[in-house]
Amino acid sequence: MKSILTIALILGSTHLFAQKAPATPAEDKSSGGKSRTLSIDTSVETTHEATIRGQKVPYKTIAGTLPVWDDEGKVIAGVFYTYFERQGVADRGTRPLVFSFNGGPGTASVWMQIGYTGPRVLKIDDEGYPVQPYGMKDNPHSILDVADIVYVDPVNTGFSRPANKDVPGSRFFGVNQDIKYLAEWINTFLSRYKRWASPKYLVGESYGTTRVSGLALELQNAQWIYLNGVVLVSPTDLGIERTGPVSAALRLPYYTATAWYHKALPADLQQKELTTLLQEVETFTIKDYIPALAEGGFISEAEKKAIAGKVSRYAGLSERVVMQQNLDIPTNFFWKELLRDRGYTVGRLDSRYLGIDRKDGGERVDFNAELTSWLHSFTPAINIYLREELKYKTDLKYYMFGPVFPWDNQGNRTGENLRQAMAQNPYLHVLIQSGYYDGACDYFNAKYSMWQLDPSGKMKDRLSWEGYRSGHMMYLRKDDLATSNDHLREFILRSIPKTGQAAKY
């Protein structure tokens, strides 16, 4: 899983909705579209109306930048954001506010903004594949009916940039550097838009889960900002240790889900309902597979063959191949091997997607089939949306993947940071969302992280997990777009304390 820190990861669609009332853009201060120089502090406002779950929701959108300051008050960067605020709200102090971050670590907030929770989504088919003409459509499942949303692009993603070439990237590009300056930026946003009283939430996807897990504690300790909820979409390992036999074994349920989807399992397993089958494989993984791998080369031949037979059945691979790998199937090899005889590879971030390699032989796939597909549809859509619908005029390039390397991964204790934030804040709840076909941040590793997040078990009533029949960006599948947003909506509403309910144990 740690490899996701060195590759840009990411991150729907139904008849979502969001028809804007005739947009009346405010003054656009972003150089009139005549410059590729960042405007550090600027915004443009438009008004819209959405139909969400059958209800008309008027809202305004503010697209702009806010500065990042250093300890001496010097501006060192401008961070681009898109802020969606429901109109007609009598008391903004009781209205939930969600900050949304994507991952990579070098990707913008585009993926969840126009794929998941926003009032407009990109045009794709019901399974998430690109269609032309490119563009946007309404999103009837957006959480904007219950919460205002801020989509944030960290430095060198989207339109965000350092203030000038003399500001070193090391100020921003690292696990803890990223957390520190974004916590300061959130403080600025809350003051600028008078949202200090609002119930506050962070949503992160992929590396964004590392980011928001660290932010939960940094906001409390350094900014005195206390959250109601953190949502981890397709989470990373959060710095929670898992090596050797545990790391190898935890991948097996994902292999089963992928093989089941591609009808590559034995007939008796193939006919089982997916989640029922996965429960069986999870039990085998914990009770038998991890102990067998722990024995290493000293496992008996009879037991090794018996385990290989089980892994073969559950992974859709031959027993010979499993034995050749000493029971430990690398993910790169699995993506190449599963459908080798059919002439296809399977996607890393979403194994429903198929690829074609130069040759069927080899140990690794030539490219990530799902990622090229997503870029195909997301890139035109976000540029159309920001520049034409939201009227943010600039010639600055929108970085889908920005230059953020080298990235300092030292000192990643974000899982422990999140645990500590929960312990200090009885209001804080955590929801984890995973796609069964995600091979980069697989669902069973996400469950494992949840189990290990609170070894005491005293906070497990504030931790929950949901699974979906899609991949890393589960919301790109039409059915899961509706379900995952419903789960978010329910999570937000249930984590707001009743009036007068104190934050205490």
Side-chain angles (χ1 to χ4, degrees), residues 209-260:
T209 62
T210 301
R211 176 175 284 134
V212 300
S213 295
L215 276 169
L217 187 63
E218 178 72 10
L219 286 170
Q220 288 183 191
N221 287 355
Q223 306 296 332
W224 313 287
I225 295 168
Y226 288 76
L227 303 171
N228 286 72
V230 172
V231 181
L232 309 178
V233 180
S234 304
T236 64
D237 58 22
L238 307 178
I240 297 171
E241 190 65 36
R242 68 201 80 202
T243 55
V246 172
S247 177
L250 291 178
R251 299 189 290 261
L252 182 60
Y254 155 71
Y255 291 162
T256 302
T258 298
W260 182 91

Side-chain angles (χ1 to χ4, degrees), residues 17 55 80 95 99 101 158 189 249-250 256 310 353 416 438:
F17 124 61
Q55 175 189 16
F80 182 78
R95 171 86 171 159
F99 290 92
F101 297 91
F189 184 94
L250 291 178
T256 302
K310 281 276 198 177
Y353 290 71
E416 171 58 21
D438 181 0

Side-chain angles (χ1 to χ4, degrees), residues 262 334-340 342-347 351-357 359-360 364-369:
H262 290 292
F334 176 80
W335 299 323
K336 183 78 172 182
E337 177 69 18
L338 180 67
L339 302 181
R340 192 190 299 269
R342 303 184 199 177
Y344 293 107
T345 63
V346 298
S351 52
R352 298 175 302 149
Y353 290 71
L354 300 179
I356 300 175
D357 280 358
K359 59 183 181 181
D360 292 337
R364 305 174 66 91
V365 301
D366 291 352
F367 66 98
N368 295 328

Side-chain angles (χ1 to χ4, degrees), residues 123-182:
K123 292 180 180 177
I124 47 179
D125 76 1
D126 288 352
E127 292 298 315
Y129 290 89
V131 296
Q132 288 184 327
Y134 303 115
M136 303 292 294
K137 60 183 179 181
D138 296 340
N139 182 356
H141 308 295
S142 170
I143 60 170
L144 187 59
D145 60 329
V146 298
D148 297 334
I149 316 168
V150 189
Y151 298 94
V152 186
D153 294 343
V155 173
N156 269 8
T157 74
F159 290 137
S160 300
R161 300 289 192 275
N164 56 67
K165 62 181 177 55
D166 297 324
V167 179
S170 59
R171 298 295 300 265
F172 316 105
F173 306 149
V175 174
N176 293 300
Q177 300 91 315
D178 179 75
I179 289 166
K180 180 177 174 59
Y181 88 82
L182 286 172

Side-chain angles (χ1 to χ4, degrees), residues 78-126:
V79 167
F80 182 78
Y81 64 95
T82 316
Y83 174 36
F84 294 82
E85 184 182 86
R86 181 171 182 167
Q87 299 301 279
V89 174
D91 182 5
R92 192 69 60 186
T94 62
R95 171 86 171 159
L97 179 66
V98 174
F99 290 92
S100 180
F101 297 91
N102 274 98
T107 66
S109 62
V110 50
W111 313 101
M112 289 198 290
Q113 179 175 346
I114 64 170
Y116 190 7
T117 50
R120 297 278 280 168
V121 290
L122 76 168
K123 292 180 180 177
I124 47 179
D125 76 1
D126 288 352

Side-chain angles (χ1 to χ4, degrees), residues 409-420:
N409 292 317
Q410 300 301 309
N412 180 0
R413 290 173 47 83
T414 52
E416 171 58 21
N417 292 349
L418 180 56
R419 185 208 64 79
Q420 189 174 341

Side-chain angles (χ1 to χ4, degrees), residues 386-425:
L386 293 178
R387 299 173 193 276
E388 298 179 21
E389 289 196 28
L390 302 189
K391 310 301 182 184
Y392 192 82
K393 303 298 184 181
T394 180
D395 285 333
L396 200 62
K397 181 185 295 186
Y398 186 88
Y399 281 149
M400 301 293 287
F401 301 105
V404 301
F405 296 101
W407 188 268
D408 181 4
N409 292 317
Q410 300 301 309
N412 180 0
R413 290 173 47 83
T414 52
E416 171 58 21
N417 292 349
L418 180 56
R419 185 208 64 79
Q420 189 174 341
M422 292 182 70
Q424 294 177 7
N425 178 7

